[in-house]
Structure formats: structure tokens, C-alpha cells
Amino acid sequence: MNSPKAQPVLEPQSRVQVDLSVFGQNVRTLKRLIPSDTRFCAVVKANAYGHGGIQCAKTALENGSHFLAVARISEAVAMRDAGITAPILLLGEALPEQVSFLATHDIRASVADIQTAKALSAAAQALNTRLNIHLKLDTGMGRLGFLHPGVVTPKYGEAAGIRQAGDIADLKGLRVEGAYTHFAKADVIDKTHAKGQLTRFNDMVAMLADMGIRPEIRHAANSAAVLELPEAHFDMVRPGVAMYGMAPSHEVDITRHKLAPVMSITAKVIYVKAVPENFSVSYGCTHVTTTPTVIATVPIGYADGYSRLLSNQGQMLVKGKKAPIAGRVTMDFTMIDVGHIPGVKPGDDVIILGPQGNERISADDIAGLTGTINYEVTTGLTGRMPLSYL
Ligand SMILES: *Cc1c(COP(=O)(O)O)cnc(C)c1O
């Protein structure tokens, strides 16, 4: 009666599974596409595209990544708190009042204006240290970055022009370690726009040199450019999506490089019932059975990041067979029709994303049904389903 009882293990009913060995293999595969003296910067922003930021960062470093990149200061701070000491580049822009965090956590800032540079210089001097920064150059993305003189409008744009970067060379406590740009359109077959960006980038790097700034690390390549634009590899590459085994777009073939998906989403059937013909399923009664069938309830919904746009559209895998979604996806549950799959019972495995038997549901399949891209399918997971690592 007094014997200690083992704590019952509460198995999650649905979960996101991340295969870190496949992820590590993808990192090594991508590294083989770049020269051996080109650095590798693993882009692990947005919780590593939903795959778990810390675990993926550590795995990327174990597989030969030199740098990490994130988009938010909080993401970089979380990496430091987890004991990661590798160089971290903040792709986003810090506001002047936030730069002290970058200094105390040894985070490399992207700099695209002189005010941020001055604030960083002051923070570095206050800590009696020197901060590495990377200049961000807008060569055709139209987001962050100093502009090429060819597009600077005298009336509004002077402050954003590359000539302003010259003043950064004189600021104390800063070392311009890098200069980089980001492609808007490297993921299409027609590389005209990307090549125009490359020309402007090379131009602007030469202008920096004229101003006495010669960054050791020039970088430009996202996944698409790592795979298809070798002239953009420079001193470092910054792949994201391809490390997770997903294609940057339908115009970029990753299978020929043997990059494999890292994430799967699995759940257990929690309820099954046989229903008659003319039986309506879920909110709005948008699905009505046309024959007697069997409906199974799966514990995933839009609160998990499983889009409501999949209502009456998506499929899941049960016993290696595709089962169509019946009715609306709700906040917590989604119903599937398993009338054609004998013997489905509570506790059976359901694959929402990933392979089962000879079938597979990819992030691209889900994205195609919901009018978005694979990136949003995995980053859109809300964190309610636990991540588990293989
Ligand atoms: C997200 C991002 C990347 C990675 O892009 P992928 O298409 O996922 O390879 C690289 N650089 C910057 C600046 C980014 O914002």
C-alpha cells in the first residue's frame, strides 16, 4: 500500500517529431555544395522554422556550421542562455535602446543605418569591448539595408544610401566583420533578378573598400542560391529552408540533392464512430455523408497551427492509407473519414505530416491546399503540440 508508485507518463495525443539525424545530414549535404573555406551560417530563426531552435542550432554546429542566424534578439538571447557560444548573427535590426543586449550577449548586429551603428559603438565602449557587426545591403529585396546610389532618391533616401556607411568605419568599438545582402528572387528558374542583385552587391562591396571598409565575410546566399547560384557563395552562405528538407519553391528541385524532410506530425485517433448516410460532421454541417461510413476524430486543430483552410480539403494517413478530412477543422479536433480503412480504433497512429507506408503528406501538399508556402506550414505551428526529437 505504501510502495512508491511510478508517475504515470502522460503521452501527448499529438506531437511534432523532428529527426535531428536527418537534419544533420542535410547540413552536411549542403556543406558539400560550397567551397571548403566558405563558412556555413545555419538560419535557425522562428524556432528553426518550427523544428526547435536550440536543438537545431546545436545539431547544425555539431555538423560543421560555423555561424547561426536568427531574426529576433529574444531568439539570440535564448541561444546564449542555452549555452551556445558560436557566433550568432541577428538578421533583424535592433532599435538603439536595445543594442546593449547585443553587447552583453555577444550577438552580431546587422547594421543598415548610422544611428544603430552609433548606439552600438556607445554600448561597446561602455563595456570596454569591441563588437563585430555586419552591414546589410539592400540590392533588390526592398526590406532592410543600405541602398545602392543608383536608387537613392536625394529627397528622401540619403540617410539610407551606402555612402552613409563610410562614417561607420570611424566609430570606436566596432569592427565591420561582414557585409551581406538577401535575394528576393533566387528561387525561380529565371535568375535575372538575382544576378542583378549580385552585380549591385559586388559594386557596393567595392564602394565600401573605397571608404576603407573591407569586411572579412561577404555573404548573400539563401537556400536557393546555395543550391543554384554558386557565384553567390562568397565567404559564407545562409541556408534555412533546405536544411529542414523543404524546397525554397516549386522551381527549385531539392530531391536531386538528397535533402530529406526533417519534421513529421503525428497523432493518435481519440474517437471512432460508425455513422449513417446523410450524417453531418462538424461546425456549419459542411460535410454530409452520402453513404454509411466511419468517422475518426484526431486531436489537432487550428489552435495547433493546422489551418482551418484544410476543412473538407486535406488528408491524413491511417494504416498507410489516405483519409480525407470531413467537415471543418475546429480549434482542437479534426474529423477524418476512415470508412474505406478497416479496423480503425482509438489509439491508432495518424500521420498529419510525413510518411506512412507508401504514402506521404508533405508541407508542400498542405501549403498547396491552403494557398501558402511550406515555410508557413512549419513555422505556423503554435507550440501546443510538444516537439520530440529522434
Ligand atoms: C530567412 C533568411 C535566410 C534563409 O532563407 P531560406 O530561403 O530559408 O534559405 C537567409 N537570409 C536572410 C536574411 C533571411 O531572412
Side-chain angles (χ1 to χ4, degrees), residues 43 45 49 91 136 143 180 182 222-223 238-241 375:
V43 178
K45 62 191 178 187
Y49 294 39
L91 300 169
K136 194 157 197 175
R143 195 168 64 177
Y180 76 103
H182 188 45
N222 56 4
S223 295
R238 302 187 314 271
V241 76
Y375 293 72

Side-chain angles (χ1 to χ4, degrees), residues 159-176:
I162 184 74
R163 297 282 167 219
Q164 308 293 313
D167 298 339
I168 291 170
D170 304 326
L171 295 175
K172 290 199 177 63
L174 299 185
R175 170 175 176 258
V176 181

Side-chain angles (χ1 to χ4, degrees), residues 12 14-16 46-47 49-52 263 265 299-306 376-389:
S14 52
R15 66 170 89 206
V16 179
N47 200 28
Y49 294 39
H51 295 66
M263 180 189 288
I265 304 175
I300 188 170
Y302 60 77
D304 300 293
Y306 193 64
E376 192 178 351
V377 171
T378 64
T379 61
L381 300 174
T382 59
R384 181 164 73 169
M385 292 182 288
L387 281 166
S388 56
Y389 298 96

Side-chain angles (χ1 to χ4, degrees), residues 41-45 49 69-71 89 91-92 110 136 141 143-144 180-183 187 219-226 237-244 246-248 375:
C41 174
V43 178
V44 290
K45 62 191 178 187
Y49 294 39
V70 294
L89 174 63
L91 300 169
S110 294
K136 194 157 197 175
M141 171 68 186
R143 195 168 64 177
L144 302 165
Y180 76 103
T181 194
H182 188 45
F183 290 112
D187 59 350
H219 50 111
N222 56 4
S223 295
V226 171
V237 296
R238 302 187 314 271
V241 76
M243 291 192 302
Y244 308 103
M246 300 190 292
Y375 293 72

Side-chain angles (χ1 to χ4, degrees), residues 320-337:
K321 291 201 173 69
K322 287 191 168 157
I325 290 176
R328 292 208 179 131
V329 171
T330 73
M331 186 185 293
D332 309 307
F333 307 106
T334 300
M335 275 62 78
I336 52 177
D337 189 320

